[in-house]
Amino acid sequence: MSELAGESEPRSEVTGPLAGVQVIDFTSAWAGPMTTRSLAFLGATVIKIESPVTMDSWRGSVHGAAPDRFPDLVPGERPYNRNSYFNTQNHDKLSVALNLKMPGAADVVYALAETSDVVIANFSPGVLDRLGLGYDRLSAINPRIITVEMPAFGSGGPMTHHVGMGMTMEAACGMTGLMGYGDGKPVPTGTAYMDPIGGLHGAAAVLTALVDRERTGVGQRIEVAQTEAAMHWIGDELIAAAEGGEPWQACGNRVRDAAPHDAYPCAGTDEWVAVAVFDDDQWRALCAEIGRNGLVDDPRFATSDARWQNQDDLADVIGAWTSGQDKSAVAQRLQRAGVPAAPVRNGADIWGCPGLREIGFLATLDHPEAGTHDYPGLAYRLERTPGAVRRAAPRFGEHNDHVLREVLGFSAERVEELRASGAVADRPAS
């Protein structure tokens, strides 16, 4: 039997639009788990297959990871169950730990495939096939199954087998080249911004395939290349390049069709307010609010082009006014005057936002090893079949017995044979 005390079974009161859909999840890190997290949010039963030899990188290692990934900065006895990175992206999933290199492990997946709707992985192209778990093999078991692979680069081209991480894929897709401070040096976003983009594309691909299966009765193989997914977010620049337009020149927060358009310092440490002026009416309103009506007719700022050319001078003027003021109060005052503005919120601001709590975006979950914490939901809520964050992320191998015995109907003897062979594990390899 599993050594996980109090092993939890999934609650059955799922009302999302994907209730009844079963997903076999081989993903790790962020992009793939974001896809399956979205499917679980919508009601799908997601069975996460975890390797005891090579854990999901967002669990960290058996010995821990950076302290700030753990509640109270304490890794604990089993840090891989307390890692906030993993626990934020994997709630509402079941965990089954299989060593696919051991006899009998693949048979577990084949048994799951008989009643599953989707198999998803973010391995390099061809890995599922080499494991004997690709579309051809699984569709022979279940013609309705859908397989989704989420490699860094599309298969068949010269970059097929290139390894990709969020930051390198961001550069490869052209996104990094659009950011910078005007000195010609590209600047990355600072996080793996690519991953949630790819994750949402993956979820959309699954939903599309499920709808198609309703029409055709059969599943299909899907590839969601991460770099191609990201290109959708810079489509206007791709079109401009195709039409022979001028290449984009990165210049910090500034854009060519607005001036001023920047972030200005406010009271506190690293606190800012963003302000954007797109026409002369907004410019006059801004001047009135900051008590500098004389700037309206100043030749340096009288037209949009003039303001664009003299933004450094504008930054000094506006920054002198915003400095020392509360960023939210400044933004509200400017908005009331008809000037687009917003406080530059940090993580603590977002987490403490009462509006997000009122609409149910944040869910409080109790994890048996990580404790009770708030977790973010997703940005879509369906009225008739609402999605929800229901259950904390699973501990490693937490649902081995539930899935093998209750879902697959394996006997106790067979389950223990799988454990004895090393095909099923209750803890990661040391």
Side-chain angles (χ1 to χ4, degrees):
M1 292 291 292
S2 169
E3 297 179 6
L4 290 171
E7 179 176 359
S8 62
E9 294 185 7
R11 286 184 271 172
S12 59
E13 65 274 14
V14 178
T15 59
L18 296 186
V21 171
Q22 183 167 290
V23 179
I24 304 174
D25 177 9
F26 289 103
T27 68
S28 63
W30 192 357
M34 178 75 176
T35 292
T36 52
R37 169 191 166 201
S38 300
L39 302 178
F41 178 88
L42 294 173
T45 297
V46 177
I47 301 173
K48 184 175 178 68
I49 306 298
E50 304 202 60
S51 168
V53 178
T54 307
M55 275 195 304
D56 185 327
S57 61
W58 274 27
R59 279 197 183 274
S61 76
V62 293
H63 305 296
D68 61 2
R69 295 191 185 187
F70 304 105
D72 302 319
L73 307 181
V74 178
E77 183 180 350
R78 290 174 291 274
Y80 47 85
N81 287 335
R82 288 172 51 82
N83 197 313
S84 62
Y85 279 31
F86 180 89
N87 291 345
T88 299
Q89 291 301 321
N90 290 281
H91 42 68
D92 299 300
K93 302 176 187 180
L94 311 181
S95 172
V96 175
L98 295 177
N99 185 343
L100 294 172
K101 295 182 179 180
M102 303 304 292
D107 292 334
V108 174
V109 180
Y110 296 148
L112 284 171
E114 292 181 14
T115 57
S116 291
D117 301 278
V118 180
V119 175
I120 184 165
N122 56 347
F123 302 138
S124 299
V127 170
L128 275 182
D129 289 322
R130 292 194 292 275
L131 290 171
L133 304 174
Y135 177 73
D136 291 341
R137 179 68 178 87
L138 297 185
S139 63
I141 298 172
N142 177 2
R144 291 175 57 81
I145 205 158
I146 296 161
T147 65
V148 182
E149 296 185 72
M150 301 175 63
F153 303 95
S155 60
M159 301 179 73
T160 296
H161 299 293
H162 283 201
V163 176
M165 299 297 288
M167 298 292 277
T168 58
M169 290 187 290
E170 179 185 290
C173 79
M175 188 179 293
T176 303
L178 302 178
M179 296 178 287
Y181 293 95
D183 57 2
K185 181 180 179 179
V187 176
T189 58
T191 79
Y193 191 54
M194 291 279 302
D195 289 79
I197 294 175
L200 294 174
H201 274 76
V206 170
L207 296 176
T208 303
L210 288 171
V211 171
D212 180 72
R213 194 181 66 178
E214 290 297 304
R215 179 178 62 86
T216 65
V218 296
Q220 59 182 296
R221 184 204 309 263
I222 298 174
E223 180 181 87
V224 184
Q226 300 299 286
T227 48
E228 294 171 33
M231 289 180 189
H232 293 174
W233 285 50
I234 57 170
D236 51 345
E237 297 306 322
L238 298 179
I239 292 172
E243 292 296 317
E246 293 184 8
W248 172 264
Q249 299 294 322
C251 50
N253 297 319
R254 300 173 182 179
V255 297
R256 192 62 187 89
D257 58 343
H261 187 284
D262 212 333
Y264 303 93
C266 292
T269 302
D270 200 22
E271 302 287 2
W272 306 79
V273 63
V275 180
V277 171
F278 289 88
D279 57 42
D280 290 340
D281 288 340
Q282 292 173 358
W283 169 240
R284 285 190 288 270
L286 176 62
C287 290
E289 285 302 312
I290 68 175
R292 298 293 299 273
N293 285 312
L295 295 178
V296 171
D297 298 320
D298 188 315
R300 295 174 299 165
F301 314 127
T303 67
S304 179
D305 283 341
R307 291 192 292 275
W308 168 260
Q309 296 295 333
N310 293 285
Q311 285 190 87
D312 288 340
D313 292 340
L314 271 181
D316 292 337
V317 172
I318 300 172
W321 179 74
T322 61
S323 181
Q325 297 193 63
D326 177 78
K327 63 184 179 182
S328 295
V330 170
Q332 291 175 3
R333 178 175 174 181
L334 293 177
Q335 285 281 8
R336 285 195 297 267
V339 180
V344 179
R345 289 178 171 156
N346 54 37
D349 295 331
I350 296 295
W351 215 248
C353 176
L356 291 177
R357 296 184 180 278
E358 289 176 12
I359 64 175
F361 179 78
L362 297 174
T364 302
L365 301 176
D366 182 48
H367 188 285
E369 294 192 30
T372 301
H373 300 282
D374 291 333
Y375 293 85
L378 292 167
Y380 39 83
R381 287 173 294 280
L382 286 71
E383 184 177 13
R384 288 190 294 105
T385 54
V389 175
R390 303 173 179 88
R391 189 178 62 252
R395 292 168 289 174
F396 183 86
E398 178 174 351
H399 301 98
N400 288 343
D401 286 291
H402 170 73
V403 171
L404 295 173
R405 295 289 305 278
E406 304 299 325
V407 176
L408 295 179
F410 286 5
S411 67
E413 292 76 17
R414 186 174 181 186
V415 172
E416 289 312 308
E417 287 174 0
L418 289 168
R419 279 196 168 90
S421 72
V424 172
D426 293 312
R427 62 180 63 214
S430 59

